[in-house]
PDB file of all heavy atoms in Angstrom:
ATOM      1  N   MET N   1      66.169  80.588  58.196  1.00  0.00           N
ATOM      2  CA  MET N   1      65.542  81.918  58.094  1.00  0.00           C
ATOM      3  C   MET N   1      66.042  82.835  59.219  1.00  0.00           C
ATOM      4  O   MET N   1      66.150  82.410  60.376  1.00  0.00           O
ATOM      5  CB  MET N   1      64.025  81.751  58.232  1.00  0.00           C
ATOM      6  CG  MET N   1      63.278  83.054  58.144  1.00  0.00           C
ATOM      7  SD  MET N   1      61.554  82.794  58.594  1.00  0.00           S
ATOM      8  CE  MET N   1      60.814  84.222  57.864  1.00  0.00           C
ATOM      9  N   LYS N   2      66.347  84.073  58.875  1.00  0.00           N
ATOM     10  CA  LYS N   2      66.824  85.011  59.893  1.00  0.00           C
ATOM     11  C   LYS N   2      65.703  85.336  60.877  1.00  0.00           C
ATOM     12  O   LYS N   2      64.575  85.614  60.491  1.00  0.00           O
ATOM     13  CB  LYS N   2      67.326  86.298  59.237  1.00  0.00           C
ATOM     14  CG  LYS N   2      67.882  87.304  60.251  1.00  0.00           C
ATOM     15  CD  LYS N   2      68.595  88.456  59.571  1.00  0.00           C
ATOM     16  CE  LYS N   2      68.762  89.671  60.479  1.00  0.00           C
ATOM     17  NZ  LYS N   2      69.412  89.441  61.758  1.00  0.00           N
ATOM     18  N   LYS N   3      66.031  85.283  62.167  1.00  0.00           N
ATOM     19  CA  LYS N   3      65.049  85.610  63.204  1.00  0.00           C
ATOM     20  C   LYS N   3      65.231  87.059  63.640  1.00  0.00           C
ATOM     21  O   LYS N   3      66.354  87.578  63.673  1.00  0.00           O
ATOM     22  CB  LYS N   3      65.241  84.683  64.403  1.00  0.00           C
ATOM     23  CG  LYS N   3      64.829  83.249  64.136  1.00  0.00           C
ATOM     24  CD  LYS N   3      63.314  83.122  64.125  1.00  0.00           C
ATOM     25  CE  LYS N   3      62.907  81.675  63.873  1.00  0.00           C
ATOM     26  NZ  LYS N   3      61.449  81.508  63.854  1.00  0.00           N
ATOM     27  N   HIS N   4      64.114  87.697  63.943  1.00  0.00           N
ATOM     28  CA  HIS N   4      64.152  89.075  64.441  1.00  0.00           C
ATOM     29  C   HIS N   4      63.615  89.044  65.861  1.00  0.00           C
ATOM     30  O   HIS N   4      62.421  88.887  66.079  1.00  0.00           O
ATOM     31  CB  HIS N   4      63.324  89.981  63.533  1.00  0.00           C
ATOM     32  CG  HIS N   4      63.769  89.891  62.098  1.00  0.00           C
ATOM     33  ND1 HIS N   4      64.864  90.579  61.626  1.00  0.00           N
ATOM     34  CD2 HIS N   4      63.314  89.157  61.059  1.00  0.00           C
ATOM     35  CE1 HIS N   4      65.053  90.283  60.344  1.00  0.00           C
ATOM     36  NE2 HIS N   4      64.122  89.417  59.981  1.00  0.00           N
ATOM     37  N   ASN N   5      64.545  89.158  66.824  1.00  0.00           N
ATOM     38  CA  ASN N   5      64.171  88.892  68.214  1.00  0.00           C
ATOM     39  C   ASN N   5      63.779  90.166  68.969  1.00  0.00           C
ATOM     40  O   ASN N   5      64.636  90.930  69.401  1.00  0.00           O
ATOM     41  CB  ASN N   5      65.322  88.175  68.921  1.00  0.00           C
ATOM     42  CG  ASN N   5      64.914  87.670  70.292  1.00  0.00           C
ATOM     43  OD1 ASN N   5      63.743  87.765  70.668  1.00  0.00           O
ATOM     44  ND2 ASN N   5      65.863  87.142  71.036  1.00  0.00           N
ATOM     45  N   PHE N   6      62.461  90.352  69.135  1.00  0.00           N
ATOM     46  CA  PHE N   6      61.930  91.514  69.855  1.00  0.00           C
ATOM     47  C   PHE N   6      61.603  91.172  71.305  1.00  0.00           C
ATOM     48  O   PHE N   6      60.818  91.861  71.957  1.00  0.00           O
ATOM     49  CB  PHE N   6      60.660  92.028  69.163  1.00  0.00           C
ATOM     50  CG  PHE N   6      60.922  92.735  67.856  1.00  0.00           C
ATOM     51  CD1 PHE N   6      61.092  92.015  66.680  1.00  0.00           C
ATOM     52  CD2 PHE N   6      60.989  94.127  67.807  1.00  0.00           C
ATOM     53  CE1 PHE N   6      61.331  92.678  65.468  1.00  0.00           C
ATOM     54  CE2 PHE N   6      61.215  94.791  66.603  1.00  0.00           C
ATOM     55  CZ  PHE N   6      61.394  94.063  65.431  1.00  0.00           C
ATOM     56  N   SER N   7      62.188  90.118  71.821  1.00  0.00           N
ATOM     57  CA  SER N   7      61.862  89.648  73.172  1.00  0.00           C
ATOM     58  C   SER N   7      62.231  90.684  74.238  1.00  0.00           C
ATOM     59  O   SER N   7      63.252  91.354  74.152  1.00  0.00           O
ATOM     60  CB  SER N   7      62.605  88.336  73.419  1.00  0.00           C
ATOM     61  OG  SER N   7      62.276  87.857  74.683  1.00  0.00           O
ATOM     62  N   ALA N   8      61.366  90.766  75.273  1.00  0.00           N
ATOM     63  CA  ALA N   8      61.531  91.793  76.316  1.00  0.00           C
ATOM     64  C   ALA N   8      62.650  91.458  77.296  1.00  0.00           C
ATOM     65  O   ALA N   8      63.138  92.311  78.021  1.00  0.00           O
ATOM     66  CB  ALA N   8      60.222  91.969  77.070  1.00  0.00           C
ATOM     67  N   GLY N   9      63.048  90.224  77.361  1.00  0.00           N
ATOM     68  CA  GLY N   9      64.146  89.844  78.247  1.00  0.00           C
ATOM     69  C   GLY N   9      63.914  88.460  78.816  1.00  0.00           C
ATOM     70  O   GLY N   9      62.800  88.204  79.233  1.00  0.00           O
ATOM     71  N   PRO N  10      64.939  87.624  78.804  1.00  0.00           N
ATOM     72  CA  PRO N  10      66.252  87.801  78.200  1.00  0.00           C
ATOM     73  C   PRO N  10      66.170  88.272  76.758  1.00  0.00           C
ATOM     74  O   PRO N  10      65.223  87.930  76.048  1.00  0.00           O
ATOM     75  CB  PRO N  10      66.890  86.411  78.302  1.00  0.00           C
ATOM     76  CG  PRO N  10      66.268  85.808  79.508  1.00  0.00           C
ATOM     77  CD  PRO N  10      64.867  86.338  79.506  1.00  0.00           C
ATOM     78  N   CYS N  11      67.172  89.050  76.371  1.00  0.00           N
ATOM     79  CA  CYS N  11      67.036  89.800  75.134  1.00  0.00           C
ATOM     80  C   CYS N  11      68.070  89.392  74.107  1.00  0.00           C
ATOM     81  O   CYS N  11      68.958  88.584  74.366  1.00  0.00           O
ATOM     82  CB  CYS N  11      67.201  91.286  75.432  1.00  0.00           C
ATOM     83  SG  CYS N  11      68.914  91.737  75.696  1.00  0.00           S
ATOM     84  N   ILE N  12      67.926  89.980  72.953  1.00  0.00           N
ATOM     85  CA  ILE N  12      68.877  89.794  71.856  1.00  0.00           C
ATOM     86  C   ILE N  12      70.251  90.344  72.263  1.00  0.00           C
ATOM     87  O   ILE N  12      70.354  91.365  72.941  1.00  0.00           O
ATOM     88  CB  ILE N  12      68.349  90.509  70.588  1.00  0.00           C
ATOM     89  CG1 ILE N  12      69.274  90.278  69.397  1.00  0.00           C
ATOM     90  CG2 ILE N  12      68.149  92.010  70.834  1.00  0.00           C
ATOM     91  CD1 ILE N  12      68.669  90.738  68.077  1.00  0.00           C
ATOM     92  N   LEU N  13      71.302  89.629  71.844  1.00  0.00           N
ATOM     93  CA  LEU N  13      72.675  90.113  72.047  1.00  0.00           C
ATOM     94  C   LEU N  13      73.369  90.112  70.689  1.00  0.00           C
ATOM     95  O   LEU N  13      72.937  89.399  69.777  1.00  0.00           O
ATOM     96  CB  LEU N  13      73.413  89.198  73.027  1.00  0.00           C
ATOM     97  CG  LEU N  13      72.916  89.247  74.485  1.00  0.00           C
ATOM     98  CD1 LEU N  13      73.564  88.159  75.314  1.00  0.00           C
ATOM     99  CD2 LEU N  13      73.161  90.614  75.114  1.00  0.00           C
ATOM    100  N   PRO N  14      74.436  90.891  70.547  1.00  0.00           N
ATOM    101  CA  PRO N  14      75.109  90.945  69.238  1.00  0.00           C
ATOM    102  C   PRO N  14      75.640  89.570  68.822  1.00  0.00           C
ATOM    103  O   PRO N  14      76.173  88.833  69.651  1.00  0.00           O
ATOM    104  CB  PRO N  14      76.264  91.923  69.477  1.00  0.00           C
ATOM    105  CG  PRO N  14      75.881  92.705  70.682  1.00  0.00           C
ATOM    106  CD  PRO N  14      75.046  91.809  71.527  1.00  0.00           C
ATOM    107  N   GLN N  15      75.519  89.243  67.544  1.00  0.00           N
ATOM    108  CA  GLN N  15      75.990  87.949  67.030  1.00  0.00           C
ATOM    109  C   GLN N  15      77.471  87.714  67.326  1.00  0.00           C
ATOM    110  O   GLN N  15      77.872  86.612  67.687  1.00  0.00           O
ATOM    111  CB  GLN N  15      75.751  87.867  65.512  1.00  0.00           C
ATOM    112  CG  GLN N  15      74.399  87.291  65.132  1.00  0.00           C
ATOM    113  CD  GLN N  15      74.117  85.923  65.780  1.00  0.00           C
ATOM    114  OE1 GLN N  15      74.917  85.005  65.702  1.00  0.00           O
ATOM    115  NE2 GLN N  15      72.967  85.803  66.428  1.00  0.00           N
TER     116      GLN N  15
END
Side-chain angles (χ1 to χ4, degrees):
M1 180 190 200
K2 182 170 162 54
K3 290 285 181 180
H4 305 279
N5 189 6
F6 287 83
S7 182
C11 76
I12 183 169
L13 291 171
Q15 270 306 309

